[in-house]
Amino acid sequence: MKNFTLLLITFNLFFCFSQEKKMNSGDKKFDGYAYIDAIKTYERVANKGYKSESLFKKLGDSYYFNSEFEGAAKWYGELFAMNPSPEAEYFYRYAQSLKSIGQIDKANKILDEFNAKNKNDSRGILYKKDQNYLDQIKANSGRYKIEDAGINSKYSDYGSFLHDNKIYFASARDTGNFSKRKHKWTGEYFTNIYNSDLDKNGLPSKVNKIKSDLNSRFHESSPVFTKDGKTVYFTRNNFIDGKKGKDANQVTLVKIYKATLENGKWTHITPLPFTSNNYSTAHPALSPDDKTMYFASDMPGSVGQSDIYKVSVNGENFGPPQNLGKAINTEGKETFPYVTNENEIYFSSDGHPGLGGLDVFVGQIDNNGAISDIQNLGNDINSPQDDFAYIIDPISRKGYFSSNKDGGLGSDDIYSFLETRRLKCLQELEGIITDAQTGETLPDSKVTLYENMEIKNSVTADFQGKYSFSVECGKTYYVRAEKPEYSTKEVSITIPKTTGKTNLPIALERSICKVAVGDDLGKCFGIKMIYFDLDKSNIRTEAAIDLEKILVVLNDYPKMKLDIRSHTDSRASQQYNEALSDRRAKSTIQWLIKNGVDKNRLTGRGYGETELVNGCSDGVNCTEEEHQANRRSEFIITKL
């Protein structure tokens, strides 16, 4: 590939559910139900001095997901005081909460620990390039039909731009006996700008050299026209009004020039104000709205041999050049930018992992101008040689690129292509929102999709509890499900790198429990067993935490009565199990009475192994999990 010019084209093309949320929280299907706010219960228990990681996580999350960061910071602080190293996600949530209340230094310290604990999280570090880049190139290949563009010669032909039903490009053909090119171009003439009319099928006809002052005795290339066709920007050797400009080493570099159309002639040819004799600027490209120019340069402040920059364009005025940053620029060469109205930037690079020489890559431009998700276009376009000057019409998916790959007519050739499959791997993320306890679907749940903690989309689950999002392959998302009377839940999911569907069901736990006479109050709080030391009936600390939850509810509902039942598995003798379970039931009742509950509101006894929930009776070989299901405590509501 020649180190002077390549052309960018900008196509000026324009592209020409809400579902009303249903609320059922006010409906009561049966009389005599109570609605228990579990979160308030947890907080009362915690404020009495009881501590557990699960308790603090639930409290912190309940505030965090409601954007009440002061409360979230309080309870996450309690979590970290109890366990300085919980799951990585809690480092991030705690840091975000601290930032929101102004504790920036402490938040940064927590974020440092988050980065060290979870090095692959894109929120904590810059996007880490895939070490298996050859697999990515392979996956991105086989997507093009490629042909000779029909305008090539035995000389160097490269770059292309479509304007006024013509294709413009640079060529070293038929330029006379001027001085030979230096450096890599030794043996070829200087390039000038040529064009060719396109027929109704987009096929070129006779090639013509532009007869205007745009062409000089030196190199010209990379023309790009504004939408109205009245302004053209192009690359030329530092040569104006018959004089060559030189840097401190007496080398004539290249600059971006501007010309305006007056009475059918290109006039007022001038270098752009940010150019210099002391560094090169080349390969101009315009955004679809003509308000931003992208270009390549090695000006001071560049990361590598050449970087991609942008400047704002406002009529005759240009803003200061801005380097696009290390997300795209490397210590090598990045050059030949091209931007579409789909916020994609195509460019060539020998610094990003490729097949050799310059390869063509594409990245995504976000609303703030940052570049991400850079991918190699695959081995249809790219080769072990130099591949560059890629342009594409986002609608027809037709375009051109240049290459000095083997098999061409000249040292550089222009190829036309049709993209038959989009590079973006398309995935649908879907799932069903259910009740964690009953398995029933939860219609009208709010489901929100996050990427890097920014909301990407939000939907309401349908009447079957189903949701779906269109997502990109290979990315990590967070899906948050919310519904009144349930605890908000957030789940991380990494999308596969192949087109298809990814299933992510989410089960929500009730935060407000609906109970009736005959129900087990313990299920509101996930109490499966009040734990005692082996062969003992003394209340342990962790058992007291659960009993505090029951106590809070009994105090809130003074007419509520409970029958407390203790069960064992079938191991040990039936007589022993019945006696032990009875002592434990009575210890539970005594604890509640000691803490203020009227004894007339409580009944209970031990059932031993007489009410097994499965077939694990004497002599039956069962797993520990199956035996555990039989060891349980129940708090049956007998009156409300």
Side-chain angles (χ1 to χ4, degrees):
M1 205 280 320
K2 309 304 179 278
N3 195 28
F4 171 60
T5 60
L6 272 184
L7 182 63
L8 170 140
I9 176 172
T10 302
F11 290 97
N12 300 307
L13 301 172
F14 296 89
F15 291 98
C16 286
F17 157 26
S18 104
Q19 182 179 353
E20 189 173 335
K21 192 171 183 180
K22 303 173 184 176
M23 302 296 292
N24 298 319
S25 60
D27 297 333
K28 292 185 180 181
K29 296 182 179 179
F30 303 97
D31 293 329
Y33 281 83
Y35 292 81
I36 312 298
D37 191 334
I39 296 303
K40 290 182 179 178
T41 300
Y42 292 141
E43 190 157 21
R44 293 181 193 178
V45 170
N47 285 332
K48 285 192 174 184
Y50 290 97
K51 297 181 179 182
S52 78
E53 289 186 46
S54 175
L55 190 65
F56 294 146
K57 287 176 181 177
K58 288 179 179 178
L59 280 168
D61 286 348
S62 69
Y63 283 104
Y64 182 84
F65 290 129
N66 285 304
S67 299
E68 297 178 19
F69 297 111
E70 185 174 356
K74 172 185 175 180
W75 294 114
Y76 287 147
E78 292 289 341
L79 170 64
F80 277 74
M82 188 173 188
N83 177 11
S85 186
E87 299 93 329
E89 185 61 22
Y90 284 95
F91 282 82
Y92 187 82
R93 293 177 188 173
Y94 188 26
Q96 292 295 90
S97 301
L98 290 170
K99 283 185 178 181
S100 297
I101 61 174
Q103 297 186 29
I104 306 299
D105 291 340
K106 187 174 181 180
N108 289 337
K109 182 179 179 180
I110 297 296
L111 280 176
D112 288 339
E113 294 180 70
F114 171 75
N115 294 339
K117 190 176 182 68
N118 195 354
K119 296 181 180 179
N120 294 323
D121 195 295
S122 58
R123 294 169 296 173
I125 61 172
L126 295 174
Y127 182 78
K128 187 177 182 180
K129 290 182 173 61
D130 190 352
Q131 298 297 313
N132 299 316
Y133 70 93
L134 289 176
D135 292 337
Q136 183 195 72
I137 292 175
K138 182 179 180 181
N140 292 347
S141 302
R143 303 182 300 108
Y144 293 90
K145 292 181 179 179
I146 298 174
E147 296 179 345
D148 184 289
I151 52 177
N152 292 309
S153 69
K154 64 180 182 179
Y155 298 97
S156 182
D157 304 287
Y158 50 92
S160 47
F161 186 88
L162 298 183
H163 172 65
D164 195 24
N165 206 37
K166 293 180 174 63
I167 182 171
Y168 288 79
F169 62 99
S171 179
R173 74 185 74 186
D174 192 27
T175 55
N177 294 316
F178 298 123
S179 301
K180 304 297 182 183
R181 299 183 190 275
K182 298 179 180 180
H183 306 301
K184 294 182 180 180
W185 287 12
T186 301
E188 288 201 27
Y189 299 106
F190 288 91
T191 59
N192 283 155
I193 299 173
Y194 289 73
N195 69 18
S196 176
D197 291 324
L198 299 175
D199 65 19
K200 62 181 180 180
N201 296 316
L203 300 176
S205 56
K206 181 182 177 181
V207 172
N208 303 295
K209 181 181 177 182
I210 300 297
K211 295 181 180 180
S212 76
D213 290 341
L214 294 183
N215 286 324
S216 70
R217 295 187 292 113
F218 295 95
H219 295 301
E220 282 84 28
S221 185
S222 308
V224 54
F225 297 84
T226 56
K227 290 196 298 289
D228 60 13
K230 295 181 179 180
T231 303
V232 63
Y233 303 98
F234 63 101
T235 306
R236 177 193 282 179
N237 274 116
N238 188 359
F239 178 79
I240 190 73
D241 296 330
K243 297 180 180 179
K244 291 191 296 181
K246 297 182 180 181
D247 68 3
N249 296 318
Q250 299 301 301
V251 176
T252 298
L253 303 175
V254 292
K255 288 185 177 182
I256 299 174
Y257 288 80
K258 174 185 177 182
T260 55
L261 188 65
E262 293 185 3
N263 300 320
K265 293 184 178 181
W266 292 106
T267 62
H268 306 296
I269 299 175
T270 56
L272 296 186
F274 54 83
T275 63
S276 170
N277 291 346
N278 296 314
Y279 54 80
S280 291
T281 53
H283 324 314
L286 290 171
S287 62
D289 61 6
D290 286 350
K291 293 182 179 180
T292 304
M293 176 183 289
Y294 296 82
F295 63 96
S297 178
D298 61 352
M299 66 176 60
S302 296
V303 176
Q305 299 173 41
S306 68
D307 285 7
I308 297 176
Y309 288 79
K310 68 177 181 179
V311 295
S312 61
V313 182
N314 185 9
E316 299 295 318
N317 300 315
F318 296 83
Q322 299 178 48
N323 191 298
L324 293 194
K326 293 184 178 180
I328 186 171
N329 293 317
T330 71
E331 290 76 12
K333 290 184 290 185
E334 280 70 46
T335 186
F336 316 126
Y338 163 66
V339 176
T340 73
N341 55 10
E342 293 184 338
N343 293 323
E344 292 176 321
I345 180 167
Y346 292 86
F347 65 99
S348 289
S349 171
D350 64 3
H352 292 268
L355 297 176
L358 290 171
D359 274 21
V360 183
F361 296 82
V362 62
Q364 194 71 31
I365 306 174
D366 69 15
N367 293 333
N368 298 318
I371 312 297
S372 64
D373 194 24
I374 293 174
Q375 295 193 57
N376 187 297
L377 290 193
N379 62 22
D380 307 295
I381 299 297
N382 292 319
S383 70
Q385 308 302 317
D386 285 327
D387 311 287
F388 50 94
Y390 181 98
I391 62 174
I392 187 171
D393 176 352
I395 296 178
S396 70
R397 310 309 296 176
K398 293 180 179 180
Y400 298 88
F401 74 100
S402 300
S403 177
N404 64 349
K405 66 176 67 179
D406 295 339
L409 295 177
S411 57
D412 291 315
D413 291 284
I414 300 171
Y415 297 86
S416 63
F417 65 78
L418 170 66
E419 186 185 47
T420 59
R421 175 170 60 87
R422 298 290 295 265
L423 174 61
K424 286 184 178 179
C425 174
L426 302 179
Q427 269 269 348
E428 182 179 0
L429 176 61
E430 60 183 9
I432 299 178
I433 311 301
T434 60
D435 184 301
Q437 180 180 343
T438 66
E440 295 179 356
T441 59
L442 298 178
D444 306 314
S445 299
K446 180 182 178 182
V447 189
T448 306
L449 181 72
Y450 290 83
E451 182 188 355
N452 295 330
M453 299 313 294
E454 293 184 3
I455 295 177
K456 305 299 291 185
N457 201 354
S458 184
V459 299
T460 300
D462 67 13
F463 71 97
Q464 295 178 312
K466 294 181 179 179
Y467 74 91
S468 66
F469 296 108
S470 294
V471 293
E472 294 185 34
C473 300
K475 288 192 173 182
T476 297
Y477 295 92
Y478 286 82
V479 181
R480 183 178 297 173
E482 304 170 72
K483 189 171 177 64
E485 302 182 10
Y486 287 85
S487 297
T488 297
K489 187 173 183 179
E490 186 176 83
V491 182
S492 172
I493 181 73
T494 298
I495 307 301
K497 294 183 178 181
T498 56
T499 295
K501 293 183 178 181
T502 299
N503 186 49
L504 180 64
I506 300 177
L508 299 182
E509 295 184 356
R510 283 188 177 272
S511 60
I512 297 179
C513 300
K514 186 167 62 175
V515 293
V517 171
D519 288 343
D520 182 0
L521 179 61
K523 290 183 177 180
C524 275
F525 309 101
I527 301 173
K528 298 179 181 179
M529 180 71 183
I530 296 296
Y531 287 96
F532 299 82
D533 290 327
L534 183 64
D535 295 332
K536 295 182 180 180
S537 55
N538 297 326
I539 301 296
R540 288 168 49 176
T541 300
E542 54 266 45
I545 293 177
D546 282 335
L547 289 179
E548 278 285 355
K549 301 169 189 176
I550 302 298
L551 178 62
V552 170
V553 176
L554 286 170
N555 289 336
D556 286 344
Y557 295 85
K559 294 183 179 180
M560 179 182 287
K561 292 185 178 182
L562 297 179
D563 184 47
I564 298 169
R565 305 173 183 180
S566 178
H567 303 268
T568 69
D569 58 36
S570 63
R571 293 178 291 188
S573 70
Q574 183 172 343
Q575 182 179 7
Y576 175 84
N577 285 334
E578 187 170 342
L580 178 63
S581 63
D582 195 60
R583 291 197 305 272
R584 289 177 171 178
K586 287 180 170 56
S587 292
T588 301
I589 292 172
Q590 289 302 314
W591 188 95
L592 291 170
I593 293 172
K594 181 180 178 181
N595 283 275
V597 180
D598 189 326
K599 64 180 180 179
N600 294 321
R601 298 172 63 191
L602 303 172
T603 60
R605 69 181 181 88
Y607 290 79
E609 60 184 87
T610 62
E611 294 187 359
L612 301 175
V613 297
N614 52 36
C616 295
S617 58
D618 291 338
V620 178
N621 186 22
C622 290
T623 65
E624 180 59 34
E625 289 75 15
E626 289 171 325
H627 283 303
Q628 178 65 56
N630 290 314
R631 298 194 300 272
R632 64 197 190 279
S633 299
E634 296 174 324
F635 299 83
I636 305 302
I637 300 171
T638 58
K639 183 179 179 180
L640 276 175

